[in-house]
Amino acid sequence: MTKTTVSAPANIAFVKYWGARDLDRALPLNASISMTLDRCVTQCTIETLAGDQDEIWLAEPHGGFSAPGPEFQRRVRQQLDRMRQWAASEQRFRVATRNNFPIAGGLASSASGFAALTLAAAGALGRGDTPIAELSSLARRSGSGSASRSVLGGFVEWPAGEGDRASPAMQIADADHWDLRDVIAVVEIGPKAVPSLEGHRRAPTSPYFARRLELLPERLAKVRRAIAERSLDLLGPVLEEEAVDLHLIAMSSRPPIFYWAPGTVAVLRTVRELRQEGLAAWATMDAGANVHVICDAAAEEDVAERLESMEAVGFVIQDSVGSGPQTDDEHLF
Ligand code: DP6
């Protein structure tokens, strides 16, 4: 019985994937750009098993294992089937995953989870040396499109592709290029009300959806340039426009989706105050209530201290740009 363990990081999107031209194949309607995180990771151990059943476990933070819910099990089995088909193998597996950050709260747990699962399964199938572009496409097929970005470190663009053709994600700058920080204000823990998949499905019903698509080429160009020039002044406003538009579209979809909590608004207000006081800090959110505050290293401690002092904030995670997934020698079981 051989074991493979991979840790894969979460990522925070600067330009969001929201809306698909083919949801079953996770073909997006627009290109997205993200920063891969360093500390927020999912670890996945896969062991080959004799027999004809996969076993799927969640590793608990303080030891022990529990059985995940049926939807999670279904998606993991589906991805394992896809990986077996890809490798022309019948091999069954024992799989355990552990997240070191709150799951399903808009902190991209599916992206890191499916990136880790895909890479660990490729390793367990003896295909660990597959080119990263192919692994990115396999991670995307899990249904969590943003997982295609989490297989890479640094700053990552996932192009939209064209028609039937998907595109893998590509690194546009490595982790050492720009020392950005992500101070995450956790205002709500627990699964979000509506999964991203459903959000993508409803997005085109918003009257603002088409307008955002029109605005995106310019936003994407600005974000690419901001990264190339390491300019937070250029990046910051686009970050907030993108986050607000994502939620505007969600709130005006039919039926509407409200991801924000009261704490979300409180944190957004504090971020504005911090800027008025002279700190360059900019907010973004994925499909959840928690707020990622992007700033440079010099501002990080002040930003974290201020967010931590807020009643609305449960806790703060201080993260930075990570170099991508890694293979671990220590296994979860
Ligand atoms: C708002 O379909 O990749 O985070 O499976 O929940 O990770 P998950 O979602 P996915 O959509 C991502 C939606 C987003 C924006 C983004 O990360 O690009």
Side-chain angles (χ1 to χ4, degrees):
M1 304 288 155
T2 51
K3 288 183 191 174
T4 310
T5 299
V6 172
S7 294
N11 66 79
I12 178 67
F14 294 167
V15 176
K16 317 286 181 186
Y17 157 43
W18 201 243
R21 61 182 191 279
D22 180 342
L23 200 52
D24 290 339
R25 295 180 56 210
L27 297 181
L29 272 164
N30 66 275
S32 53
I33 299 180
S34 56
M35 154 179 154
T36 297
L37 299 182
D38 186 49
R39 288 182 56 197
C40 291
V41 298
T42 301
Q43 214 182 1
C44 177
T45 295
I46 297 194
E47 179 182 37
T48 52
L49 267 192
D52 58 2
Q53 290 288 330
D54 294 315
E55 265 182 45
I56 297 156
W57 299 99
L58 287 179
E60 298 294 340
H62 304 294
F65 294 88
S66 64
E71 178 56 16
F72 181 88
Q73 297 233 19
R74 187 190 66 75
R75 286 191 66 187
V76 171
R77 284 179 209 285
Q78 203 175 49
Q79 184 66 355
L80 290 174
D81 285 342
R82 192 171 284 116
M83 297 300 291
R84 277 188 281 265
Q85 204 183 6
W86 165 72
S89 164
E90 302 271 295
Q91 181 65 57
R92 299 287 145 172
F93 299 110
R94 176 176 292 133
V95 178
T97 65
R98 182 172 64 194
N99 259 22
N100 70 351
F101 59 97
I103 57 168
L107 294 184
S109 60
S110 334
S112 54
F114 282 107
L117 177 70
T118 302
L119 297 174
L125 288 160
R127 304 277 294 269
D129 57 356
T130 303
I132 198 71
E134 195 173 341
L135 293 168
S136 169
S137 296
L138 284 162
R140 187 199 91 245
R141 292 302 309 274
S142 68
S144 172
S146 52
S148 71
R149 299 188 310 245
S150 265
V151 302
L152 290 147
F155 299 87
V156 178
E157 175 159 357
W158 172 27
E162 236 177 47
D164 241 17
R165 276 210 343 267
S167 172
M170 298 175 297
Q171 187 183 65
I172 53 178
D174 68 20
D176 296 331
H177 170 73
W178 190 10
D179 187 12
L180 272 188
R181 303 297 163 98
D182 179 6
V183 183
I184 309 169
V186 179
V187 299
E188 202 172 75
I189 305 185
K192 54 193 170 203
V194 181
S196 299
L197 273 179
E198 185 56 27
H200 294 299
R201 192 171 289 126
R202 291 186 205 172
T205 65
S206 161
Y208 306 107
F209 183 71
R211 180 65 187 138
R212 172 175 175 259
L213 291 181
E214 283 169 13
L215 295 169
L216 276 182
E218 198 182 319
R219 280 187 192 162
L220 285 159
K222 274 193 194 159
V223 169
R224 286 185 204 111
R225 189 151 67 84
I227 292 170
E229 296 173 5
R230 300 183 191 88
S231 169
L232 195 51
D233 289 345
L234 186 58
L235 180 67
V238 190
L239 270 187
E240 293 199 352
E241 281 165 30
E242 262 297 281
V244 169
D245 278 10
L246 164 73
H247 288 270
L248 173 77
I249 289 167
M251 289 177 200
S252 55
S253 294
R254 314 239 166 85
I257 311 168
F258 287 87
Y259 287 116
W260 289 15
T264 311
V265 182
V267 173
L268 290 178
R269 180 176 292 172
T270 299
V271 172
R272 266 159 209 265
E273 283 167 12
L274 287 169
R275 279 208 297 279
Q276 274 158 11
E277 291 163 22
L279 279 181
W282 299 88
T284 185
M285 291 146 282
D286 278 344
N290 300 317
V291 185
H292 295 246
V293 183
I294 306 296
C295 59
D296 61 21
E300 180 187 1
E301 289 308 323
D302 286 341
V303 170
E305 203 177 298
R306 185 68 154 271
L307 295 176
E308 250 157 15
S309 74
M310 294 179 66
E311 212 179 306
V313 175
F315 59 96
V316 157
I317 302 171
Q318 291 178 238
D319 214 331
S320 55
V321 192
S323 52
Q326 62 180 49
T327 304
D328 299 333
D329 294 331
E330 270 187 41
H331 307 293
L332 287 173
F333 57 86

